[in-house]
Structures are given as C-alpha cells and as structure tokens.
Amino acid sequence: MLQELKIRNFKSFRDEVELSFEPTGNDRYNSVVTMPDGVNLLRFAVVLGANASGKSNLLDAIEFLHVFWNKIPMTNDDGTDVQPFLMRSDALSHDTEFEVKLYIDGIRYWYQLVINPEKVCHENLYVYLSDSPTKVFSREDVNGISKLNFNPDLVKLSSAEVEVMTMNCLRNMSVLAVLKKVNVSVPYLDNMRKWIDNRMLPLQSGSFTSLSHDVKRLLADSPEFREYLMQFAKEADFNISDIKIQKMVALFGHTVENESGVENHFLPESCQSAGTKRMVELESLIYTQLKRQAFMCIDEIEASMHPNLMEYILTKFVNSRDNHSQLLVSTHYDPILKDIEDIFGKDSVWFTEKGKDGNTTLFSLADFKGLNKLSSIHRAYMNGQFGALPNVL
C-alpha cells in the first residue's frame, strides 16, 4: 500500500509536493488499514481543483513511475520520457525527483529517483527492517554509465550477477526494469517488482467509447464477475438484465414492458450510452483491483457518470472490508465534498491550485483549522475558504 508520494519538477509541479495516505486523526470509516508496525493507511483519496490546476498531473506522476518501472528501451539514446516543469528559462537544467514510500507484504520500502529527459541520475531503494532504513541498492550515473551498488549485508549477489545487472542497466531505464531482462533474483527488489506487476494497475482516464478486450474476456470467462456486475447493475438501476459475449462482441440484455407484456431484448454495445460502458469498464477494474488488493488511479471519475452512481461506486469500494486495495481519484465535481462524514473522512480530500507562475501546489483539507465548526465544508469551499476554485470573471 502507498504511504506517501513526493514529486518535484514534474509537469506543473515545480516545487516539491507531498501526497500522504496517512490519516491525521481517528478515522471511523472502513477506509483505514493498519500495517504491522502500527502505521495506519487510507484506502481512498480524492483530488479536487479547477481545470488545468494540476490534478491530472499528480496522477500522471504515479503513472509515469508505473510505465518507467516497466520500460525497456532499445538504446541509451531513447530518453526517459520524463517531462520537467517547463515554465522557466532554465527548465532543462533542473532534474526531476520522485520519492515513494509504500508497504509490500507488511514491510515498508522507500524508493528514490532523480531523473532528467536524458538519463537517470540517481536511483535508490531502502527497506525498513527496523525503525531505520537499510539500503537495498543505490545507482548513479557516471559519465553516461550506470553504476550499481548492492548492499552486501542484505543482497547476496555474485560478481557475475552484479555485472549482468550493470550491463543491462541503460542510463535511461530503471533498475526495476532490468529485472524483466535478466535471470537474477535480488531480495526485496524482487518484492517490489512483483508489487508493480500484480498490485499496481494502469491509470484510468476519460470516457470509454467501447469495452476493452480485457473486460470482454473477463465477462466471457468469469461467471463470478458476471454475477457481480449484474448485481451492481440491478442495484444501480441500469435496466440491464444480462450481458453476453459472442465472438468477443458484447450484447446487452434489456427488459421492457409493453402491451404484449414483459419482453427481453439484446442490443449491441453501440446502442449503449457512454455512461453504461464506463460503468462496466470501471466496475471490471474495481473488481480486479479488489481481488488483487491493488493500487489504482482514476482521472475525472465523474466523466459520463451521474453523481449518484459515482457516489455509489465509491461507497461500495470504501465499504469493502478486510482489503488492502487503494483508490486515488481526481474530480471537478465539488459536491463530492458533501460526502465527507458519509463515505470518507477529511483526511481523504486534497486540493490542487495553480499560481500565476504556472506552479501547482497540493494541500490537504485536513490542514485547515476549525473544520468541525463549519456547517458545510462544500459551502465553505464554494465561498473560496480553501482556494482551489476556478477564477471565473
């Protein structure tokens, strides 16, 4: 589970910002999981702000890491695809920095990355076997060549294995990606590799024009998922009685009542609304996420979605008990603040705001004092008490 993310000099984030999944107080919701060392982590967080304030860029930072940890470039000259903050004259002279703290199988890890569009400057991984971090590996760029150093007290690798890892580590790739190329087992690094592969889902964004191949395959192969989806569609009043997959074509069953009585009709996917297709896609992802107890980001969760349905989806996720899955969403839909104390707590709410200099700041609702004295947090937000509002003239 993700504990915190720090980023600096990435897209609209010029200065360092920190997103934390640690609650600042007691949380009475099902959204908190306690780690073996006593640290509590939230399962849900939402980022709210005006258009172009940097909400998507925050989620893009996580997706960049997800892609980068898996990317195997063909040559040293392919670049890293990182995008620094460009709204200053000396933009390319500043490196981009990421820090991630997370728990894997109850053990805390600390990952650090310093990178620019050409190469990785530094990359480190630590593990907490006590109250203090212990280095797993460090990596630095020396004249365009990646130099790897593994902690011999923790990582028992032969000189030949270290050489194989070093030779395959191009200057524009992660050490975590090297593990996908070589037949070398590295303690603790392997655990993070497995977490990325199995418990970190890709960023989901925008509306869906058609169901993905993965969703159709899940519908065709998993009776359990079809039952789960049909129950959800019934509870959410979608008037969908069944979904059939025939030769990877989705057919939606609908029940109607007319002068002839009750009739069942199957209509092709093209006849379904964008909201219906987005519901099926999102619920398949959340179903997979809950099964894997994975981490996932959804950008603009309200897209093509009725507010009541969005709230229903979030409620079902938060109320899933005994699960270590985490969901981070962005939204323009400010009435979601009315759900505070009903679905999630104040610690789950974050805001983005962009200054005149183009720099995005990130701050938590929990940072504000006197919240318990407010009759309506949503009304206070609309009155500009927290900022993060569009400037409409």
Side-chain angles (χ1 to χ4, degrees):
M1 297 183 70
L2 205 66
Q3 180 184 13
E4 68 178 35
L5 167 72
K6 291 182 181 179
I7 57 176
R8 182 198 297 271
N9 191 39
F10 179 79
K11 291 194 171 181
S12 62
F13 294 99
R14 181 193 62 202
D15 304 328
E16 181 179 277
V17 297
E18 177 182 341
L19 174 72
S20 174
F21 279 86
E22 284 193 69
T24 58
N26 294 326
D27 195 302
R28 62 182 178 85
Y29 307 91
N30 296 324
S31 57
V32 172
V33 177
T34 302
M35 295 292 103
D37 60 2
V39 171
N40 289 324
L41 298 178
L42 294 165
R43 293 183 55 240
F44 173 74
V46 56
V47 185
L48 186 69
N51 288 89
S53 64
K55 299 185 305 297
S56 296
N57 290 342
L58 179 67
L59 275 59
D60 284 345
I62 297 174
E63 181 63 8
F64 170 80
L65 288 172
H66 185 218
V67 172
F68 181 68
W69 288 335
N70 286 289
K71 181 184 176 183
I72 302 177
M74 297 297 294
T75 71
N76 259 327
D77 300 323
D78 288 345
T80 65
D81 294 327
V82 74
Q83 182 181 317
F85 180 83
L86 297 175
M87 301 181 74
R88 50 183 167 183
S89 57
D90 59 345
L92 296 182
S93 66
H94 299 270
D95 294 329
T96 299
E97 301 177 23
F98 299 91
E99 284 192 38
V100 179
K101 289 184 179 179
L102 71 161
Y103 283 79
I104 302 174
D105 297 329
I107 299 176
R108 185 185 184 196
Y109 290 75
W110 180 19
Y111 173 84
Q112 302 170 334
L113 176 67
V114 180
I115 189 172
N116 62 42
E118 294 182 356
K119 64 184 181 180
V120 175
C121 304
H122 299 280
E123 188 178 18
N124 306 302
L125 180 66
Y126 299 86
V127 62
Y128 284 79
L129 302 178
S130 62
D131 292 337
S132 301
T134 300
K135 184 181 78 173
V136 178
F137 81 88
S138 62
R139 174 260 190 97
E140 62 178 333
D141 179 83
V142 180
N143 299 322
I145 303 297
S146 296
K147 181 180 179 181
L148 276 60
N149 181 272
F150 295 93
N151 182 354
D153 295 330
L154 206 63
V155 179
K156 307 296 183 182
L157 295 179
S158 66
S159 57
E161 289 173 323
V162 173
E163 184 177 359
V164 167
M165 291 283 293
T166 302
M167 289 181 60
N168 282 276
C169 188
L170 302 183
R171 66 175 185 170
N172 50 359
M173 71 185 296
S174 170
V175 174
L176 285 156
V178 175
L179 291 179
K180 297 169 69 74
K181 294 180 61 178
V182 301
N183 187 26
V184 177
S185 178
V186 184
Y188 299 105
L189 195 57
D190 288 340
N191 294 343
M192 191 164 175
R193 178 71 261 165
K194 291 176 183 177
W195 183 84
I196 295 167
D197 291 340
N198 301 316
R199 302 183 67 178
M200 189 178 190
L201 301 183
L203 170 67
Q204 306 301 319
S205 60
S207 59
F208 298 95
T209 57
S210 61
L211 298 184
S212 67
H213 178 84
D214 289 342
V215 171
K216 293 176 182 178
R217 178 56 60 195
L218 187 59
L219 281 164
D221 295 345
S222 174
E224 182 183 356
F225 171 64
R226 288 183 70 255
E227 181 180 352
Y228 168 90
L229 185 61
M230 290 303 97
Q231 181 63 32
F232 181 90
K234 179 181 178 180
E235 293 172 354
D237 194 24
F238 265 84
N239 189 27
I240 298 174
S241 57
D242 196 5
I243 302 179
K244 294 181 179 180
I245 304 297
Q246 296 180 352
K247 296 181 179 179
M248 296 308 290
V249 174
L251 299 173
F252 289 72
H254 297 271
T255 301
V256 297
E257 296 182 18
N258 53 35
E259 63 276 4
S260 301
V262 178
E263 296 180 350
N264 294 313
H265 298 274
F266 278 89
L267 303 179
E269 180 185 337
S270 59
C271 294
Q272 309 305 312
S273 69
T276 296
K277 287 180 278 193
R278 182 167 171 81
M279 179 276 291
V280 173
E281 195 79 20
L282 283 182
E283 277 306 301
S284 71
L285 291 165
I286 291 176
Y287 173 85
T288 301
Q289 179 192 13
L290 291 171
K291 285 289 186 181
R292 293 187 187 178
Q293 302 196 50
F295 178 90
M296 181 169 66
C297 296
I298 302 176
D299 195 18
E300 297 186 9
I301 190 172
E302 78 282 4
S304 301
M305 193 81 64
H306 190 281
N308 290 355
L309 179 59
M310 179 188 71
E311 293 170 3
Y312 183 65
I313 289 174
L314 295 181
T315 299
K316 284 183 68 70
F317 175 83
V318 170
N319 287 338
S320 56
R321 297 179 179 274
D322 302 321
N323 201 287
H324 288 197
S325 56
Q326 283 179 303
L327 183 61
L328 172 63
V329 306
S330 71
T331 184
H332 302 106
Y333 182 67
D334 55 79
I336 197 173
L337 295 175
K338 296 179 180 179
D339 293 324
I340 295 174
E341 307 302 346
D342 291 329
I343 300 177
F344 48 84
K346 302 177 184 69
D347 291 333
S348 291
V349 180
W350 293 79
F351 298 109
T352 53
E353 189 168 58
K354 185 179 288 185
K356 292 182 179 180
D357 55 0
N359 177 49
T360 293
T361 55
L362 174 72
F363 49 97
S364 171
L365 174 63
D367 292 339
F368 292 88
K369 297 180 180 180
L371 295 176
N372 293 332
K373 298 179 182 179
L374 296 174
S375 59
S376 169
I377 289 178
H378 176 247
R379 189 179 302 116
Y381 170 73
M382 295 305 294
N383 289 334
Q385 190 164 333
F386 308 128
L389 279 171
N391 294 317
V392 181
L393 299 178

